[in-house]
Amino acid sequence: MNKTLKRCFAALSCGALILSLAGCASGSASGSATNQSAIRVGSKDFTEGLIVSEIYALALENAGFEVERVFDIAGSLVHTSLVNKEIDLYPEYTGTGLLTVLGMDAITDPQLVYDTVKEEYKKQFQITWLDYAEANDGHGMVIRTDVAQQLGIATISDLQAHASELRFASQGEFDVREDGLPALEAMYGPFDWKNSRVYDGGLKYQVLSSNEADVTIGYTTDGALADTDSYTLLEDDKRVWPPYNLAPVVRDEVLEQNPEIAEVLNAVSAKLDTATLTKMNAQVDVEKQEYEDVAAAFLASIQ
């Protein structure tokens, strides 16, 4: 979920991955931890992945575990790193597990997606999905707030009804990708935009703020969305897109040796919602804070 821009980045070379993992030394866990070696927490190579992985790492350290951070792994390689025992756990998205890793058909019910990936990961990979968070980083349609208020647009159904009055900032592939505009039109009907132009995905919020367009496609935890005076994320009222809820995925043998991991990380997931994750992304990407500081502040706030 492209996370398909964000998540499926071009793969790191095997040599680079080996170098990134070479420093993972074993050590003794302390406190309540029972494992003989450090827990290796992995992360994907984008802001949100780094923040959440750092939260996991800090929470485990607070619980007495020794932690080794193995961060900045390409989205296309991180699952393989877990299966190959190069890392012990990392935050994954239920939609990514369903569609990208398992190659299954899209499901839009969050609990059913979670139940499906939980069962299949256990069966195929000996990996456990711990509790999933409310935080959902999926596709979303974003409109300028002033336009939304002027036209009374709060849902994608509303957007479709007013499409002929709106300028769409596309990112090219969205118009033809199976889970992009074709999926929207199959569920909501045609979007006959006033005009549609292709822009670089990294400029989409700049395009809206400069009044070059009214609507774009984004992700539901994009940091820019913390500025609700400028941007409104529309409700996917017909649930065309699958959920991408965050959850820790942990190798079974690690969890069996260290059952306390589940309680520690489930407590994090219970407090991690979409608005909070959006705010943390904004603190790093917009306000230019360090992701380590943002993660530490969040963890302190829930303890």
Side-chain angles (χ1 to χ4, degrees):
M1 162 212 145
N2 160 0
K3 284 191 218 138
T4 323
L5 279 175
K6 278 185 185 175
R7 298 188 182 100
C8 299
F9 283 96
L12 296 171
S13 68
C14 292
L17 180 61
I18 291 169
L19 286 173
S20 71
L21 300 176
C24 299
S26 295
S28 297
S30 59
S32 64
T34 59
N35 195 2
Q36 296 284 311
S37 60
I39 303 299
R40 297 167 299 173
V41 177
S43 88
K44 297 187 181 183
D45 57 351
F46 56 90
T47 297
E48 187 169 289
L50 290 165
I51 294 170
V52 178
S53 292
E54 180 66 13
I55 293 170
Y56 289 177
L58 291 172
L60 289 169
E61 287 175 336
N62 287 351
F65 288 94
E66 182 181 348
V67 172
E68 188 76 35
R69 289 162 175 78
V70 188
F71 287 5
D72 278 317
I73 303 173
S76 56
L77 292 177
V78 67
H79 171 73
T80 302
S81 297
L82 188 63
V83 171
N84 289 346
K85 303 183 179 181
E86 294 163 336
I87 57 175
D88 299 318
L89 63 92
Y90 74 96
E92 184 56 282
Y93 301 89
T94 55
T96 300
L98 181 76
L99 301 174
T100 303
V101 176
L102 296 174
M104 301 179 75
D105 292 336
I107 302 170
T108 59
D109 179 78
Q111 187 64 48
L112 183 54
V113 174
Y114 173 76
D115 291 342
T116 301
V117 296
K118 186 177 180 70
E119 178 181 355
E120 290 300 319
Y121 267 59
K122 173 75 74 172
K123 183 190 308 179
Q124 297 187 33
F125 310 120
Q126 294 74 58
I127 290 171
T128 293
W129 283 76
L130 299 181
D131 292 353
Y132 71 90
E134 186 277 334
N136 172 40
D137 186 2
H139 287 305
M141 297 298 287
V142 179
I143 188 170
R144 284 176 30 225
T145 297
D146 61 332
V147 175
Q149 292 173 343
Q150 178 185 349
L151 298 177
I153 297 174
T155 68
I156 297 180
S157 288
D158 296 336
L159 180 70
Q160 190 272 339
H162 288 277
S164 63
E165 303 168 69
L166 300 168
R167 300 163 297 169
F168 182 57
S170 178
Q171 288 142 57
E173 65 168 335
F174 176 80
D175 293 345
V176 297
R177 202 175 63 233
E178 183 179 354
D179 64 342
L181 189 59
L184 275 183
E185 294 195 325
M187 184 68 72
Y188 288 97
F191 286 76
D192 298 321
W193 306 110
K194 181 177 182 180
N195 65 55
S196 176
R197 296 178 181 174
V198 176
Y199 297 89
D200 181 271
L203 300 176
K204 58 182 178 286
Y205 291 105
Q206 180 180 329
V207 167
L208 262 58
S209 67
S210 62
N211 197 20
E212 296 177 58
D214 305 306
V215 183
T216 192
I217 179 71
Y219 292 100
T220 55
T221 61
D222 282 343
L225 295 176
D227 180 6
T228 55
D229 289 338
S230 298
Y231 312 110
T232 294
L233 177 67
L234 299 177
E235 178 190 353
D236 179 12
D237 52 306
K238 295 187 178 180
R239 297 174 68 171
V240 67
W241 284 312
Y244 282 73
N245 295 99
L246 265 172
V249 288
V250 189
R251 293 194 296 112
D252 284 354
E253 63 179 336
V254 174
L255 194 57
E256 289 164 4
Q257 293 170 347
N258 303 278
E260 304 98 326
I261 288 175
E263 182 179 356
V264 172
L265 297 187
N266 286 342
V268 170
S269 293
K271 300 293 186 179
L272 198 58
D273 58 27
T274 302
T276 299
L277 193 53
T278 301
K279 179 181 177 181
M280 289 193 288
N281 284 334
Q283 289 172 326
V284 176
D285 289 337
V286 179
E287 300 172 19
K288 305 305 179 184
Q289 297 183 38
E290 297 296 331
Y291 75 84
E292 296 95 337
D293 296 335
V294 172
F298 168 79
L299 191 61
S301 75
I302 66 172
Q303 293 179 330

